[in-house]
Amino acid sequence: MTGNPLRSRRAEWLVTLPSLLWLGLFFAVPAVIVLAFTFHGHTPNGGVGEWSLETWRELVDPDYPAIVWNTIRISFEVTLWSIVLALPCAYAIARMNSRWRAIVAGSIMLPFWTSFVVRVFAWKTMLHPDGWLQSCYLTFLRVREWMFGWLPGSLKGLFVWMGLANSGPVDPAASTILDSEAAVVLVSVYSFLPFAIMPIYTAAEKFDFSLLEAARDLGAKSFYAFRKIFIPGIKQGLISAILMVFIPAIGSYVIPQMLGGTDCVLIGNKIFMRAIQNRNIPHASALATLMAVSVLIPIACAMWWKRRQNARDRKRLEAETARLMIGGASS
Amino acid sequence: MSNEFLIFDHVTKRFGALTAVDDVSFSVAKGEFFSLLGPSGCGKTTLLRMLGGFERPDSGRIYLEGKDITDLPPNQRRIHTVFQNYALFPTMTIWDNIAFSLKLAKMEKGEIEEKVDDILEMIQMSEHAWKYPSQLSGGQKQRVAIARALVDRPQVLLLDEPLAALDLKLRQHMLLELDTIHDQVGITFLYVTHDQGEAMSLSDRIAVLNRGKVEQLDGPAKIYEAPASRFVASFIGDTNFLSGEIVAVDGDYCTIQCEGFPAVKAFNDRKIKVGDSVDLSVRPEKIRVTLAPPPPEKGASINVFLSTVKDIVYQGVYTKYWIESSGKRLAALKPHSRFLLDQESITWNDEVFVWWHPDDGYMVEAK
C-alpha cells in the first residue's frame, strides 16, 4: 500500500508524539531545571535562592576531584568485571537448547522479584564481621599465612609483591570486607550483572554460530574465533551492556551508602547528602551536572573520533578499490 | 597407489538411536572431483563434517595422505569447507574474509596481499574487495566463500551443497565456474549434494548414499546406465521398473514375465536362473512410442508390444507419454525435432507400438 506521503508523515508524528511528550516532560525539562538551579543560591530553609554564581564558587572543594575520580574508577571496575562475567554466561545461554535457555534466562531475572534495598541489606549481613563470608575470608588469609609464613624474607617479599602472600600477620580487626571498596565493587557487580548479561545474550542469540565453525575450519583456535568473530559479531550488545552497567554505577548511592563505610564515598552519596541532609538543592544540582558533564565529554570525544576514523576508512577503501581496478586493467 | 589420498576406513557415526553413517569405506584420489550424492538424511553431511573435524566417528578411521586425521581438531587439518549458507564473516570486508586463513598461517604481509589479490582476480571480484558480505549478491557470496577456502591451498576442499541457495540460471553458471576452478587449482574437491544433475555434470566419481551406506561408487555414466540397486536407479534420473519372474534364459539374454505386460527380453549380466524374480529398470528415453510398427531391420530380438497412450505431458525439451497396460504404467520420452514431424502425431487413447532394445533394460536387485 502506498499512502499519501503527507498523511504518512502525519501518522508518523502521531505515533511518536506520546514518547516525545514523555521524554520532554520527564527528561528534557527536568534536566534544564537542574541546570538552571546551579545558577542560583540556596536559602537556609532548603529553598532555591536568587540567580547567582555562588553555588559554582562553592563547588571548588578540594574533596570533589578525588570523589569524582573514585566514582569513575569504581564504575570502570564494576563494568569490567560485569562484562568479563557476562560474556561467557551469555555465550553459554545462547548455545543452550530453547528449554534450558528459558529456565536459565528466567533465573537470571529472578533476583528482581526481591527489592533492591533488601538484597543489598542481605549482603550487609553476609559481609558482617561476624558473618560467614568474613570468616571465610579470614580462613583464606590464615591459610595463606601458613603456606608462605615459613619462607625467608626476600622470597616472601616477592610473593607479597605478586599479591599471593600476606604482607604481615593476620589482623582480624583490620581485614574486614564490609565498609571497604571491595564490598562496593562486589555487590555492584552482583546487582548489575543481569543488565550486562541480557543485552549480550540478546545479541548472541541472533549470532550465527556456524561462523565460529567456519573460523575453526580455516585454522583458528577456539579462543581466536571467539575473539575475532564472536566479539565483533555481538558488538552492539556489548556496547549496550557497557552502558547499562556503567551509567547506573556512576549514579549509584545505595550500595556505597550501606556497604562502603567511610572508605568509599561516591558522588551519588555526596549528591544525596547535599540534597537531603544539607537541604542545598542548587549544590546537589551542580554536583549532578558536573558528574553528567564529566561522563558525557569522554563519550562525545569517543564518538567524534570514531566518526572521523570511519570517514578515513571510507576514503582508504575508495583509494584501495581504485588501485585494484587500475591493477586489474593494466594486467 | 594414487587412489589412496583420502581414505574412509569402516567409519560409523550414530546420533542416539539413529545410525547416520554405517560402516562406510571408500577412498578418493588426489585431485579428484568426488561427489557424495543422496537424499536428505542419508549421512552425506555427517561424512563431510567428520572430514572437516566437526564430528568424531564412533568407530573407524580417516586417513589423509597416509596420516590418521580422525582425532585432529578442525584447525589442525588442511581441509577447508564451503558452507551451504557461505558463513562469510559479516564484520569483515571481502578482502579480510579471504585473508583470514593466511593471517592465521602467520604469512608475510606482502605475500598475503599478493595471494588475496590473485584469487580475487581469478573469481573476478577485484572491484568488490572492500565491500562487506551483506552488499553482495548470492552468486558473489558463493564465489567469495570458495575463494576464502581455496586461498591457502588446502589438501581437500569440502563443498556442502554450495549451490542450493542459488536460482536455476545462476546455479548452471556456477556449475561451469566450479569446474573451471577445479581445473585451475588441481585440489581434491569433495562435493556433497542431493541434486543428481550437479553431481553428474561435475564429478569424476560419485558415491551414492542411502541410509548411511554407500549404495554405489562409480563414474557418472556407470551410475546412470548400470545402477547397482533399485534405489540408485530411481534416485538418479527417472526410470520405469518392471517387476517379474524369469521364464527363460537364452545365452546372454533372458525373458522376463512381468505383471501387466507381455514377456520382455533383457541382457542377463547377473547370470540369473529361471524362476528368480527381478526388477528391470528401463529409462524413459530408451523407450520409443510410435503409431507405425518398428522397422523390420531392427530385428526380431527387440521388445515390442502394443499399448494405449493415457497421458501426454509436454515438458519443453521433450514430451512424456504415459502408456498403460492392465493397470501398469510406463513412461516414454520423445524429443521434439522437425525430423520427427513426418511421423503421425500421437494423441490420447491411441494404440501405439512400444519398443526398446533388450540391452537398454537393466536388471537390479535380483531377489
Side-chain angles (χ1 to χ4, degrees):
Chain A
M1 198 183 79
T2 54
N4 180 343
L6 223 88
R7 218 170 120 182
S8 74
R9 177 152 328 152
R10 217 170 60 190
E12 207 174 283
W13 267 105
L14 227 69
V15 174
T16 337
L17 200 62
S19 40
L20 270 180
L21 272 178
W22 181 273
L23 272 178
L25 219 60
F26 298 110
F27 176 74
V29 172
V32 172
I33 292 175
V34 166
L35 188 65
F37 276 173
T38 68
F39 295 100
H40 286 266
H42 75 285
T43 60
N45 55 359
V48 176
E50 295 295 308
W51 287 95
S52 89
L53 285 175
E54 170 199 347
T55 302
W56 281 108
R57 270 197 296 272
E58 271 175 22
L59 215 62
V60 191
D61 180 320
D63 280 357
Y64 285 152
I67 289 173
V68 167
W69 167 241
N70 251 350
T71 308
I72 290 176
R73 184 176 53 80
I74 287 174
S75 303
F76 262 122
E77 256 174 62
V78 169
T79 310
L80 185 75
W81 282 110
S82 300
I83 298 297
V84 165
L85 293 173
L87 259 177
C89 185
Y91 178 86
I93 300 171
R95 299 227 76 171
M96 285 172 188
N97 65 38
S98 58
R99 207 171 67 97
W100 273 105
R101 207 186 277 179
I103 292 171
V104 176
S107 47
I108 283 169
M109 304 309 284
L110 206 63
F112 292 111
W113 289 78
T114 314
S115 149
F116 174 63
V117 179
V118 170
R119 281 182 287 136
V120 176
F121 200 81
W123 273 103
K124 200 178 166 76
T125 322
M126 285 198 289
L127 297 171
H128 192 270
D130 298 331
W132 64 278
L133 275 176
Q134 176 68 29
S135 58
C136 284
Y137 182 58
L138 282 180
T139 311
F140 166 73
L141 288 180
R142 290 205 173 99
V143 166
R144 247 178 22 172
E145 188 179 31
W146 173 79
M147 277 172 70
F148 296 99
W150 55 274
L151 288 171
S154 55
L155 197 58
K156 193 179 165 192
L158 179 72
F159 281 102
V160 171
W161 179 74
M162 277 161 42
L164 290 171
N166 307 334
S167 53
V170 177
D171 174 9
S175 348
T176 53
I177 325 180
L178 192 64
D179 294 341
S180 73
E181 192 183 301
V184 173
V185 173
L186 174 72
V187 177
S188 298
V189 170
Y190 154 80
S191 311
F192 300 140
L193 194 57
F195 297 109
I197 293 175
M198 279 305 155
I200 298 179
Y201 160 64
T202 313
E205 203 188 13
K206 291 193 206 93
F207 181 76
D208 176 9
F209 283 97
S210 71
L211 294 177
L212 293 183
E213 255 182 22
R216 299 264 291 142
D217 186 78
L218 291 166
K221 292 203 176 83
S222 300
F223 186 66
Y224 185 89
F226 181 84
R227 206 158 49 89
K228 288 283 183 174
I229 307 298
F230 182 70
I231 299 285
I234 56 149
K235 202 172 112 199
Q236 288 311 318
L238 207 58
I239 290 171
S240 40
I242 289 171
L243 293 177
M244 291 286 273
V245 175
F246 188 73
I247 291 170
I250 284 279
S252 141
Y253 73 92
V254 172
I255 295 171
Q257 180 83 35
M258 291 173 80
L259 305 169
T262 48
D263 267 18
C264 188
V265 174
L266 302 188
I267 198 81
N269 304 105
K270 278 286 175 201
I271 295 171
F272 176 77
M273 207 167 87
R274 295 288 176 250
I276 308 296
Q277 283 165 305
N278 304 2
R279 306 198 64 186
N280 189 339
I281 299 291
H283 196 108
S285 303
L287 276 179
T289 308
L290 187 73
M291 200 64 232
V293 168
S294 47
V295 173
L296 283 175
I297 284 175
I299 291 180
C301 284
M303 276 167 75
W304 172 78
W305 186 71
K306 178 83 194 145
R307 189 169 298 174
R308 216 181 68 146
Q309 211 182 26
N310 281 351
R312 201 185 298 159
D313 276 358
R314 209 172 309 122
K315 236 172 233 158
R316 196 199 66 166
L317 196 151
E318 277 159 17
E320 286 284 339
T321 308
R323 175 182 73 86
L324 276 169
M325 298 277 280
I326 292 160
S330 65
S331 63
Chain B
M1 198 175 137
S2 71
N3 200 22
E4 311 229 311
F5 176 67
L6 170 66
I7 302 170
F8 280 85
D9 184 21
H10 297 284
V11 173
T12 298
K13 177 75 189 175
R14 291 182 202 90
F15 295 107
L18 176 85
T19 306
V21 173
D22 191 1
D23 194 31
V24 166
S25 298
F26 64 86
S27 53
V28 179
K30 192 167 187 170
E32 193 173 14
F33 200 123
F34 191 94
S35 288
L36 296 171
L37 175 64
S40 55
C42 72
K44 55 189 193 300
T45 301
T46 309
L47 270 173
L48 201 74
R49 288 178 62 80
M50 285 193 282
L51 188 52
F54 299 110
E55 305 280 357
R56 189 168 288 189
D58 293 320
S59 64
R61 311 303 293 174
I62 303 168
Y63 302 94
L64 182 62
E65 262 185 326
K67 217 177 108 211
D68 186 346
I69 60 162
T70 321
D71 298 323
L72 284 182
N75 53 318
Q76 285 173 31
R77 304 177 182 211
R78 285 200 41 235
I79 297 174
H80 295 336
T81 311
V82 176
F83 292 87
Q84 189 173 1
N85 64 349
Y86 319 131
L88 297 179
F89 306 129
T91 51
M92 295 183 190
T93 61
I94 300 313
W95 204 94
D96 287 328
N97 261 282
I98 294 176
F100 191 81
S101 63
L102 302 176
K103 282 180 187 162
L104 276 166
K106 304 248 177 340
M107 211 173 266
E108 231 176 280
K109 203 170 167 246
E111 209 181 342
I112 293 178
E113 276 177 14
E114 197 186 310
K115 289 200 172 199
V116 175
D117 288 351
D118 279 354
I119 206 150
L120 275 168
E121 205 170 304
M122 186 181 103
I123 59 165
Q124 294 162 22
M125 293 278 294
S126 296
E127 66 268 40
H128 302 291
W130 301 100
K131 286 188 181 168
Y132 285 88
S134 58
Q135 295 167 282
L136 299 187
S137 70
Q140 289 173 327
K141 281 184 197 165
Q142 179 65 72
R143 293 217 290 272
V144 173
I146 292 169
R148 183 180 70 173
L150 277 176
V151 71
D152 76 332
R153 302 272 152 171
Q155 290 171 293
V156 184
L157 182 74
L158 310 181
L159 300 114
D160 185 8
E161 308 238 2
L163 308 182
L166 304 177
D167 60 60
L168 182 67
K169 271 278 167 236
L170 203 52
R171 204 152 61 218
Q172 288 168 344
H173 177 73
M174 285 305 296
L175 271 178
L176 289 176
E177 229 164 90
L178 263 178
D179 205 23
T180 317
I181 290 172
H182 178 248
D183 288 347
Q184 279 173 357
V185 296
I187 287 169
T188 310
F189 277 37
L190 203 78
Y191 191 93
V192 157
T193 184
H194 66 268
D195 185 310
Q196 39 117 357
E198 285 174 20
M200 300 268 247
S201 43
L202 290 169
S203 318
D204 297 317
R205 287 192 303 153
I206 301 172
V208 183
L209 290 157
N210 185 30
R211 291 193 206 146
K213 283 190 173 294
V214 176
E215 294 253 345
Q216 187 171 8
L217 200 170
D218 268 315
K222 189 91 190 289
I223 279 182
Y224 188 78
E225 301 292 347
S229 66
R230 191 184 163 111
F231 171 80
V232 176
S234 61
F235 188 73
I236 313 291
D238 214 2
T239 196
N240 296 297
F241 282 117
L242 294 130
S243 311
E245 193 179 287
I246 295 187
V247 290
V249 177
D250 173 22
D252 286 340
Y253 292 87
C254 61
T255 309
I256 307 164
Q257 183 59 58
C258 305
E259 204 187 324
F261 295 102
V264 292
K265 285 196 274 294
F267 185 63
N268 186 11
D269 70 327
R270 301 199 174 205
K271 304 285 175 262
I272 296 162
K273 299 185 300 291
V274 172
D276 285 347
S277 28
V278 292
D279 283 339
L280 184 70
S281 155
V282 189
R283 300 279 182 197
E285 74 275 13
K286 317 263 188 198
I287 302 178
R288 301 199 69 175
V289 180
T290 51
L291 287 170
E297 69 270 16
K298 294 281 179 197
S301 63
I302 65 167
N303 294 310
V304 188
F305 57 84
L306 271 166
S307 194
T308 320
V309 174
K310 279 291 169 200
D311 259 323
I312 302 172
V313 184
Y314 178 76
Q315 291 181 325
V317 182
Y318 44 69
T319 299
K320 193 178 216 171
Y321 296 94
W322 285 99
I323 55 129
E324 195 175 297
S325 174
S326 43
K328 295 279 170 187
R329 288 159 76 97
L330 282 183
L333 293 180
K334 195 171 170 186
H336 302 130
S337 156
R338 288 278 157 191
F339 295 121
L340 298 173
L341 273 188
D342 51 358
Q343 294 175 8
E344 258 182 278
S345 63
I346 300 167
T347 68
W348 284 266
N349 295 324
D350 274 353
E351 276 278 300
V352 287
F353 287 93
V354 180
W355 43 293
W356 72 86
H357 196 278
D359 286 357
D360 280 336
Y362 194 81
M363 283 193 281
V364 292
E365 243 162 67
K367 280 168 280 188

